[in-house]
Amino acid sequence: MVNYQPAPLDRVFGALADPTRRALLQRLEAEAALSVTELARPLPISLPAVMKHLDVLEGAGLIARRKQGRTVTCRLTAAPMEDAMAWLARYQRFWGESLDRLAQFVEDAPK
Amino acid sequence: MVNYQPAPLDRVFGALADPTRRALLQRLEAEAALSVTELARPLPISLPAVMKHLDVLEGAGLIARRKQGRTVTCRLTAAPMEDAMAWLARYQRFWGESLDRLAQFVEDAPK
């Protein structure tokens, strides 16, 4: 029933589970292409740490990197997010669910 | 710029990054409420392992548990998925992006 092979969705959701990686994607949403140095500049972490985060994002297919001489440029490749969003969309009918009904489920002690 | 406090989005995306946890949520999408035993039955992992996954799901606010005598019943609480989907929706304009354009970005060697 459950597929234990590393699935693309595991990698996408896993990549998005970190605030630094989400911040990197947000930078690349605002600007079409940025060098690793430009991406790292505002972050309070080391360049190797930034590069590890970029490895995770690339592993999930969320960014592409291109080498130009000594500069590595990154670009957003957001297509894998579509499957993640499709997965979440199945649960949309539950979002409007009454909080009262939920509180009742959690708190009601059986007689 | 980056918030290093554990953010709700970290927990939601982290919870969704595992195929067993996604399978548990899918069971609870199909049936309104299930006991831990019912949830564990089709899974090829131990009951304690299932309970750890349920802890992660509850920590992310994606399920609620209710104790009724010796039975613990679980129920989907999908509301936190809404923020996750809103986060992803910002990237929708990139999904239709031409693969040719991307291939060009990755492969073009500078002269």
Side-chain angles (χ1 to χ4, degrees):
Chain A
M1 178 190 164
V2 177
N3 174 15
Y4 285 92
Q5 293 296 105
L9 272 183
D10 294 10
R11 288 196 294 270
V12 172
F13 283 131
L16 298 177
D18 181 276
T20 302
R21 291 196 290 268
R22 290 198 304 278
L24 289 166
L25 292 172
Q26 282 171 357
R27 292 278 311 281
L28 292 169
E29 183 216 348
E31 299 190 60
L34 287 168
S35 72
V36 172
T37 314
E38 287 167 321
L39 282 167
R41 197 172 293 134
L43 297 173
I45 54 173
S46 68
L47 188 63
V50 172
M51 291 177 72
K52 276 183 198 165
H53 283 304
L54 294 174
D55 288 343
V56 175
L57 290 171
E58 194 173 43
L62 295 173
I63 66 162
R65 283 186 280 202
R66 180 176 67 174
K67 199 152 193 244
Q68 238 173 328
R70 294 177 59 187
T71 305
V72 176
T73 307
C74 298
R75 187 192 154 110
L76 187 70
T77 56
M81 292 184 191
E82 191 168 4
D83 290 334
M85 195 149 150
W87 194 93
L88 287 166
R90 293 174 49 179
Y91 297 83
Q92 232 163 342
R93 66 191 166 98
F94 294 96
W95 297 346
E97 197 169 51
S98 150
L99 281 178
D100 290 347
R101 242 184 79 201
L102 178 62
Q104 202 183 332
F105 168 80
V106 176
E107 287 162 22
D108 265 17
K111 306 292 166 201
Chain B
M1 177 192 164
V2 178
N3 175 16
Y4 286 92
Q5 293 297 104
L9 273 183
D10 295 10
R11 290 196 293 270
V12 172
F13 283 131
L16 298 177
D18 181 277
T20 302
R21 291 196 291 269
R22 289 198 305 277
L24 289 166
L25 293 171
Q26 282 171 1
R27 292 279 310 282
L28 292 168
E29 183 217 348
E31 298 191 59
L34 287 169
S35 72
V36 172
T37 314
E38 288 167 323
L39 280 167
R41 198 171 292 134
L43 297 173
I45 54 173
S46 69
L47 189 62
V50 171
M51 293 181 69
K52 275 184 199 167
H53 282 305
L54 294 174
D55 287 344
V56 175
L57 290 171
E58 194 173 43
L62 295 172
I63 66 162
R65 282 185 281 200
R66 180 176 69 173
K67 200 154 189 234
Q68 239 174 326
R70 294 177 61 187
T71 304
V72 176
T73 307
C74 299
R75 185 193 154 110
L76 186 70
T77 56
M81 291 185 191
E82 191 168 4
D83 290 336
M85 194 148 150
W87 194 92
L88 287 166
R90 293 172 50 180
Y91 296 83
Q92 234 164 340
R93 66 191 165 98
F94 293 96
W95 298 345
E97 197 170 51
S98 149
L99 281 178
D100 289 348
R101 242 185 79 201
L102 179 62
Q104 201 182 334
F105 168 80
V106 176
E107 289 163 19
D108 264 17
K111 307 292 168 201

